[in-house]
Amino acid sequence: MDLRPYINGSENNHLSLRRIVIFFCAVFVFTLLEGLLIRQYLLPHVFLSLHDGLGFMAGGDSKGYHAVAVELAKKINIQGWSAWELRPNAENTFLATPSGIASILYVLFGNNPLFLLPFNSAVHAATATFLLLTMHMLFTNSSHRVAIIATIPFVLFPTAISWTSQLLRDGIFILGAVLYLWGWVSVTSERNAPLKNFLWSLFFTLSGILIVWAVRSYMMEVYVAITVIVSLTISTYIIFQNYQKMLVPSAIKRLFTVIIFGMIVMSALTLLASVEKYSYLKKAQEMSARFANSDANMNTASQLSGKEQDFVDHERPNSRCKERWIEFEYAPALLNRILKSIIMAREGYYGYVYRNAGSTIDQKVCINSASDLMMYLPRALQIALLAPFPNQWFDPNSHGQGASRKIAGAEMVVTYIALLGLICLGASLRKKIELWIVLSYVVPMLLLLSVVTPNLGALHRQRYGFLMVLVGIGLGLIAQYVLTKKSPRLSKANAHG
């Protein structure tokens, strides 16, 4: 693999392969030691109320995945490796990819969950490394220290401990999401002319898609839409940047490359979506139907509305939203179905998954039409970027338990600073195609997660990989500004010295 088209630059901003390897190893060792500290000391001896035994955190899926992995490992020991499954299905677990991976380790080394930590650390370090490369492409004219500073929040924020020290799918999903982004960023680079580098970019993007499919296959439809958005954004950027000279072969070549790349990615996504039993829309419909058919849940919804009432639209599980869903009159049927399914999933979470959770937000908001959804998007973006809000950091019912509220508050302070830096200093990157790729990918994903997942605790974890990209850019811009201001002063000091 040749990284030179992406990592070489001037002497001041050179991100050498040696530095990349050192960065990966540093993140790996840090994450491994952090996981050992959590599992072996903090949970069993300090945070006893959070400990569920064997170093697992209470209230999550880790221990259930562990049990599935242990059973699968026993099955493999008896029947051989033909019994292995990447995504074993068991009671209360769907597509338990973490269990399939853990079962390999348990067969080879025994059922001690500590053997999961090297794998988790490698996944986290690999994600951080590809995020570092992405940040370097954004700040290619700055010192390599800017890209490293931009990546540090992803590595250090305590939220990541919930999957780097446990057995969950979040870390694997984030790796796939970042690989998908890196593939798009690298293929649009002006340095990426040779066919070999095009193929490497395609490899990274398709690898990211396969990883996402392995852990959350219902997201394939979402990534189809994201691919359309990213492709259109890049094509529009190239046309507007070169509209006066579109006959220039290099501009036409870049546009043609993006079109071919997008078509290949779309074909892969469509193929994976077609072989899955559960798509994003089917998952939403199933969850909504489960709630709508439950008398107990219907009673709960009636109590929330303050009076007894019948469903007007029986597909909608949130009965306080009395009106029937109003479709776009002239929009394609598929678009109307997608928009309604998004709201069905949201209401299913309200009524079934998080109906008793104190950290659920905007419970009184009813979205009864596509136009209502469009009007809600600014609020959804506010929640996606800024929640939990400062007044919720100290509210015992707003976001998890006491420790997690304080951790979320500390992380959000850094996030606010980074987003302020992105707003105030982002104009310096407006001519870089990499920024528009990031925004066209990250912002729609954040909006979708914010609308569908109205629980702040779950949202804080699910948005991590996407929000950290924006946080990284913001901190990178601040670091770039500080270093730029500092350099002339150092030059003058050296001259006078």
Side-chain angles (χ1 to χ4, degrees):
M1 173 183 171
D2 185 8
L3 288 174
R4 285 175 297 179
Y6 314 117
I7 64 179
N8 287 342
S10 67
E11 185 177 350
N12 291 330
N13 70 353
H14 183 64
L15 185 62
S16 65
L17 185 59
R18 177 175 173 271
R19 283 174 175 157
I20 293 174
V21 172
I22 291 174
F23 179 83
F24 174 89
C25 293
V27 176
F28 176 85
V29 172
F30 169 80
T31 307
L32 182 63
L33 294 177
E34 182 183 55
L36 285 171
L37 178 65
I38 294 294
R39 297 189 70 100
Q40 294 295 93
Y41 178 70
L42 293 181
L43 284 176
H45 302 291
V46 179
F47 302 109
L48 297 177
S49 61
L50 300 178
H51 191 218
D52 197 24
L54 298 176
F56 291 113
M57 293 182 183
D61 297 327
S62 290
K63 200 166 185 180
Y65 285 149
H66 169 72
V68 173
V70 169
E71 291 301 316
L72 183 57
K74 290 179 181 177
K75 188 176 179 181
I76 293 171
N77 285 327
I78 295 172
Q79 301 179 15
W81 285 103
S82 60
W84 180 77
E85 299 176 84
L86 173 63
R87 305 184 296 177
N89 279 312
E91 187 177 0
N92 297 324
T93 59
F94 171 66
L95 298 183
T97 306
S99 300
I101 295 171
S103 67
I104 299 175
L105 300 174
Y106 292 170
V107 170
L108 297 176
F109 305 109
N111 295 338
N112 190 333
L114 289 178
F115 292 123
L116 301 170
L117 294 181
F119 173 79
N120 289 346
S121 301
V123 168
H124 197 59
T127 308
T129 301
F130 282 104
L131 184 58
L132 173 70
L133 292 172
T134 302
M135 292 300 162
H136 182 65
M137 291 291 287
L138 279 160
F139 301 103
T140 189
N141 295 322
S142 301
S143 168
H144 67 275
R145 289 177 292 175
V146 172
I148 294 175
I149 292 171
T151 313
I152 288 300
F154 175 84
V155 177
L156 296 185
F157 270 20
T159 292
I161 294 173
S162 63
W163 55 82
T164 58
S165 67
Q166 303 294 301
L167 181 58
L168 292 173
R169 67 182 75 188
D170 298 86
I172 304 172
F173 172 77
I174 294 171
L175 173 60
V178 171
L179 276 174
Y180 174 90
L181 174 62
W182 166 245
W184 276 107
V185 167
S186 61
V187 79
T188 54
S189 170
E190 293 183 356
R191 307 175 189 180
N192 192 13
L195 176 62
K196 180 176 66 174
N197 296 326
F198 173 88
L199 295 177
W200 273 117
S201 299
L202 186 62
F203 170 78
F204 289 130
T205 297
L206 294 181
S207 296
I209 289 171
L210 284 173
I211 291 172
V212 171
W213 170 80
V215 292
R216 290 177 180 162
S217 60
Y218 55 85
M219 294 293 288
M220 291 299 97
E221 286 182 327
V222 173
Y223 270 86
V224 168
I226 289 295
T227 300
V228 172
I229 294 172
V230 174
S231 300
L232 290 176
T233 300
I234 298 173
S235 300
T236 303
Y237 174 90
I238 294 173
I239 291 172
F240 272 91
Q241 286 289 313
N242 301 276
Y243 73 97
Q244 291 181 333
K245 49 179 181 178
M246 276 306 294
L247 295 179
V248 177
S250 61
I252 297 176
K253 182 179 179 181
R254 291 187 76 190
L255 184 61
F256 183 72
T257 299
V258 169
I259 293 173
I260 296 298
F261 192 87
M263 290 176 62
I264 296 174
V265 173
M266 284 284 291
S267 299
L269 285 165
T270 304
L271 177 63
L272 290 174
S274 66
V275 300
E276 281 301 324
K277 177 182 178 182
Y278 287 94
S279 66
Y280 194 82
L281 303 182
K282 289 179 181 177
K283 187 176 176 65
Q285 293 166 354
E286 182 187 68
M287 181 174 59
S288 299
R290 186 189 304 174
F291 175 78
N293 293 331
S294 170
D295 292 335
N297 290 339
M298 288 176 65
N299 290 334
T300 300
S302 296
Q303 292 171 7
L304 288 172
S305 67
K307 61 182 180 179
E308 295 292 330
Q309 61 186 29
D310 295 327
F311 283 104
V312 176
D313 187 341
H314 290 283
E315 289 184 331
R316 301 184 66 189
N318 190 354
S319 62
R320 72 176 176 277
C321 296
K322 189 175 180 180
E323 294 84 356
R324 182 179 295 275
W325 174 262
I326 301 173
E327 297 183 346
F328 272 137
E329 186 173 358
Y330 300 107
L334 177 61
L335 176 61
N336 279 314
R337 185 168 68 92
I338 290 173
L339 294 178
K340 182 175 182 179
S341 295
I342 289 173
I343 300 307
M344 287 167 59
R346 173 186 175 86
E347 295 177 354
Y349 277 122
Y350 272 131
Y352 183 74
V353 181
Y354 301 122
R355 65 177 181 270
N356 297 320
S359 57
T360 301
I361 195 168
D362 284 357
Q363 289 184 333
K364 296 181 180 180
V365 174
C366 281
I367 300 176
N368 294 312
S369 66
S371 59
D372 285 350
L373 178 57
M374 297 301 108
M375 294 293 290
Y376 184 74
L377 288 183
R379 169 63 174 171
L381 185 61
Q382 179 190 36
I383 294 171
L385 296 177
L386 305 178
F389 305 106
N391 65 300
Q392 297 170 319
W393 301 345
F394 307 100
D395 183 352
N397 296 317
S398 69
H399 179 73
Q401 303 183 29
S404 65
R405 286 197 305 274
K406 292 181 177 63
I407 290 172
E411 292 181 353
M412 293 313 298
V413 169
V414 178
T415 299
Y416 294 163
I417 294 172
L419 293 178
L420 186 62
L422 179 59
I423 293 171
C424 296
L425 304 173
S428 63
L429 296 178
R430 69 184 185 276
K431 292 185 178 181
K432 293 190 72 69
I433 191 172
E434 292 85 357
L435 176 65
W436 297 105
I437 294 172
V438 167
L439 294 178
S440 64
Y441 174 44
V442 169
V443 173
M445 290 298 296
L446 287 172
L447 281 172
L448 177 66
L449 292 173
S450 179
V451 170
V452 173
T453 311
N455 180 273
L456 294 183
L459 178 63
H460 190 65
R461 175 172 50 86
Q462 293 178 12
R463 72 182 176 183
Y464 186 86
F466 304 103
L467 182 60
M468 285 302 99
V469 178
L470 297 182
V471 170
I473 296 174
L475 289 182
L477 285 166
I478 294 173
Q480 184 183 55
Y481 177 81
V482 171
L483 291 174
T484 302
K485 293 296 182 182
K486 186 178 178 181
S487 296
R489 291 199 299 269
L490 289 177
S491 299
K492 290 180 180 179
N494 293 332
H496 289 301

